[in-house]
Amino acid sequence: MTHSIILVGPRASGKTTVGKMLAARLHRHFIDTDDVVQKQTNKTIAQIVDEQGWDRFREIESQILKDVMLGDAVVATGGGMVISEKNRHYMKNNGMVFYLATSADTVVARLKSNPAVSQRPSLTGLSITEEITGIIKERDPLYQESAHYVIDANKDKTEVLQQIYALCVPL
């Protein structure tokens, strides 16, 4: 049985961009769990959080993870997917997990150049730089625990793709 390839990391680490490229190269389906959440609920993540709270969003996200992991897709997860211990174990036991590790500076630069930033709710109410720095520091151990491989995603997306692809070829 072929397992899904799962990409974890903070937002703007390249999970969706690299994931789409990897899926095309491996002739697999690409799934972005944030997109699936929004399609299934007909709401943006910000709307879900505003109306139902972060806990409910995380419940929906966890169910989506289980739903999409049934095939052999390339799956880009939301940045907070690793918060749940159950999600971390599920991903690691049911797929090949790559942590796209990035510096806070790289994430902030990517977010500032992306018009979709406003669609994501602030997690802390801090400035984007302070928030991202804190989130990466807090979640890095969780990303590490989840991953089979850690990839330096501060590099160009093509280099990141090549690193992951080289590890996936035997699949």
Side-chain angles (χ1 to χ4, degrees):
M1 177 177 128
T2 306
H3 286 358
S4 290
I5 296 168
I6 304 126
L7 306 178
V8 300
R11 54 182 168 161
S13 60
K15 300 180 302 281
T16 298
T17 301
V18 172
K20 287 178 179 177
M21 294 165 58
L22 182 63
R25 189 150 183 200
L26 293 172
H27 307 289
R28 291 183 178 212
H29 293 289
F30 173 75
I31 300 167
D32 183 311
T33 60
D34 283 348
D35 286 348
V36 176
V37 167
Q38 291 179 100
K39 284 177 187 160
Q40 286 193 3
T41 62
N42 290 317
K43 295 179 182 202
T44 66
I45 292 168
Q47 288 172 321
I48 296 167
V49 171
D50 285 346
E51 294 170 10
Q52 301 175 47
W54 278 107
D55 289 344
R56 178 64 185 135
F57 168 71
R58 295 293 178 210
E59 289 172 14
I60 295 167
E61 183 181 57
S62 293
Q63 185 56 54
I64 298 288
L65 175 66
K66 290 179 181 153
D67 293 346
V68 302
M69 291 280 294
L70 300 176
D72 64 349
V74 174
V75 179
T77 63
M81 186 69 78
V82 297
I83 291 171
S84 163
E85 183 177 1
K86 288 180 183 177
N87 289 350
R88 293 192 305 272
H89 292 291
Y90 188 82
M91 289 186 290
K92 193 153 190 178
N93 292 326
N94 292 286
M96 181 180 278
V97 185
F98 293 89
Y99 168 24
L100 302 189
T102 51
S103 69
D105 289 341
T106 297
V107 170
V108 169
R110 289 176 182 170
L111 286 174
K112 286 183 175 178
S113 69
N114 182 347
V117 172
S118 63
Q119 294 180 9
R120 297 303 308 240
S122 171
L123 299 173
T124 61
L126 300 171
S127 75
I128 192 164
T129 302
E130 292 171 315
E131 180 173 299
I132 295 302
T133 301
I135 289 169
I136 289 174
K137 184 178 179 181
E138 175 185 312
R139 293 183 183 169
D140 181 70
L142 306 177
Y143 293 132
Q144 297 274 354
E145 179 186 328
S146 302
H148 295 98
Y149 300 100
V150 178
I151 305 295
D152 180 356
N154 293 299
K155 298 179 180 179
D156 177 76
K157 62 187 175 189
T158 305
E159 289 181 63
V160 175
L161 170 67
Q162 293 290 44
Q163 285 183 294
I164 297 171
Y165 183 77
L167 294 164
C168 292
V169 173
L171 292 178

